[in-house]
Amino acid sequence: RQVASDASFHSVSFSESDHPRVLITGGLGQLGVGLAKLLRKRFGKNNVILSDIRKPADHVFHSGPFIYSDILDYKNLREIVVNNRITWLFHYSALLSAVGEANVPLARAVNITGLHNVLDIAAEHNLRLFVPSTIGAFGPTSPRDPTPDLCIQRPRTIYGVSKVHAELMGEYYHYRYGLDFRCLRYPGIISADSQPGGGTTDYAVQIFHDAMKTGKFQCNLKPDTRLPMMYIDDCLKATLEVMEAPAEALSMRTYNISAMSFTPEELAQEVQKHVPELQVTYNVDEVRQAIADSWPMNFDDSNARRDWGWKHDYDLPEEESRG
Ligand code: AKB
């Protein structure tokens, strides 16, 4: 459900040459194509390059510039940044929480070594760099309800460890070398057109697809597992807003952002209002459940709201927007 929105958000327009030149790594995951669409509307189609190691679908390939980029190949990445005069980089390449546990060496390479390449290239070429972090950067010893920006972070997944590392390295490069590093900790993201790949919060996307396709949904988390969630449009809006915020407004470089928080049972009840025949069963995946049980239940994003005016537009219907 969309709550009161700020119509001024898309209203500014520039000529193409005033705009940042943007590269999105890991662009064929859950968020990249949507982000490219939003940024192209704002900055012009040819100023936003989507990249990945996978082959794009036809409609993605024809929607704007796409380039092969392997973040583990330092020279390839540097060449792309130089040849395309990139000024802003959104670094989305990462293995998520559940797939990361299934392949720790690959997660370590992509999420940590890849980040090192991106940081060095961003610092060398004076880029503004966005790296997403996550509720997964917290762990069982963090306060879970609510979880503030600054508290104990001892995650127990390679994904979480790599994201704490990214937060700290980005901030270190900011203070040490002046890198314009900006980072948001995302909740689970709900999207209709794109699928997440191997996360713990994936069920909240899958339920919609299964409700429409088969009318049957098997949830891999317990019915009462509460996690922070956000609709993709809010996530992309926050990402653009924090990148456009004046540096003076940012009292920190890594912010929690939050919109809603629900359990599988609550989400199922909501979906059943629209698809009453939907049957939901539970078959708990122990790995995912252990991860979810160590993550925040509610996210405190008061610093983002205060510093750069973050405000979500989408809630579950019963919830009141705090915006
Ligand atoms: C995951 O579940 O791993 C991701 C996340 C919350 O970072 N969606």
Side-chain angles (χ1 to χ4, degrees):
R1 181 194 70 161
Q2 180 157 24
V3 294
S5 72
D6 180 356
S8 66
F9 178 61
H10 293 294
S11 62
V12 186
S13 66
F14 306 88
S15 79
E16 285 218 356
S17 57
D18 297 334
H19 289 315
R21 298 268 309 152
V22 177
L23 177 67
I24 303 171
T25 68
L28 299 184
Q30 188 187 9
L31 304 176
V33 173
L35 181 69
K37 197 169 162 200
L38 178 69
L39 298 179
R40 282 172 183 157
K41 237 191 248 162
R42 189 140 178 90
F43 301 137
K45 179 167 147 179
N46 293 324
N47 283 323
V48 180
I49 302 174
L50 208 49
S51 75
D52 208 296
I53 54 172
R54 286 184 284 161
K55 199 158 124 185
D58 283 353
H59 72 278
V60 173
F61 186 70
H62 295 299
S63 64
F66 178 88
I67 201 164
Y68 172 88
S69 152
D70 178 357
I71 52 142
L72 292 175
D73 182 343
Y74 186 86
K75 272 187 70 185
N76 167 249
L77 192 59
R78 190 166 60 179
E79 196 174 310
I80 291 168
V81 165
V82 169
N83 287 352
N84 294 285
R85 298 180 302 112
I86 297 300
T87 56
W88 285 17
L89 200 158
F90 293 79
H91 179 46
Y92 276 101
S93 311
L95 264 69
L96 297 185
S97 55
V99 281
E101 291 313 290
N103 193 344
V104 173
L106 185 63
R108 202 180 74 172
V110 173
N111 296 13
I112 299 180
T113 309
L115 174 90
H116 292 170
N117 289 342
V118 165
L119 280 173
D120 284 338
I121 288 166
E124 186 186 351
H125 298 281
N126 206 16
L127 308 185
R128 184 169 299 184
L129 173 64
F130 178 84
V131 180
S133 186
T134 159
I135 50 174
F138 297 93
T141 51
S142 307
R144 296 181 60 216
D145 190 14
T147 306
D149 280 306
L150 299 176
C151 64
I152 294 172
Q153 287 179 266
R154 286 286 181 281
R156 299 257 175 97
T157 59
I158 185 64
Y159 175 60
V161 169
S162 72
K163 288 298 184 181
V164 177
H165 179 73
E167 294 175 6
L168 293 175
M169 284 296 282
E171 291 185 11
Y172 176 73
Y173 270 53
H174 172 65
Y175 295 113
R176 181 79 168 77
Y177 303 118
L179 174 68
D180 194 350
F181 170 79
R182 300 173 187 219
C183 175
L184 296 179
R185 295 195 189 102
Y186 292 162
I189 304 301
I190 302 164
S191 55
D193 306 335
S194 57
Q195 295 274 1
T200 302
T201 58
D202 292 10
Y203 89 85
V205 177
Q206 198 58 42
I207 189 171
F208 292 100
H209 290 272
D210 289 1
M212 300 315 292
K213 256 198 236 147
T214 63
K216 289 194 173 95
F217 173 63
Q218 193 174 72
C219 185
N220 53 24
L221 293 179
K222 290 183 191 161
D224 61 350
T225 309
R226 182 171 300 282
L227 290 167
M229 298 279 181
M230 180 177 285
Y231 184 55
I232 186 168
D233 289 15
D234 272 340
C235 168
L236 300 178
K237 180 182 85 150
T239 303
L240 177 53
E241 283 179 355
V242 78
M243 282 296 268
E244 291 193 316
E248 322 78 77
L250 304 176
S251 68
M252 29 200 327
R253 288 288 165 158
T254 302
Y255 289 93
N256 294 349
I257 49 164
S258 175
M260 52 187 136
S261 181
F262 54 71
T263 66
E265 199 167 32
E266 288 165 356
L267 181 62
Q269 278 166 10
E270 201 46 55
V271 178
Q272 277 162 341
K273 285 185 192 159
H274 306 276
V275 188
E277 65 280 12
L278 173 67
Q279 289 170 26
V280 180
T281 53
Y282 293 88
N283 183 13
V284 172
D285 171 315
E286 296 304 331
V287 173
R288 282 184 167 82
Q289 188 64 47
I291 294 173
D293 288 342
S294 76
W295 281 2
M297 293 191 281
N298 279 294
F299 229 19
D300 176 351
D301 62 356
S302 47
N303 289 317
R305 288 174 193 265
R306 184 201 60 220
D307 283 4
W308 46 275
W310 159 239
K311 187 157 98 43
H312 66 280
D313 291 332
Y314 295 89
D315 266 336
L316 269 193
E318 306 86 350
E319 296 192 350
E320 276 299 307
S321 164
R322 290 169 299 164

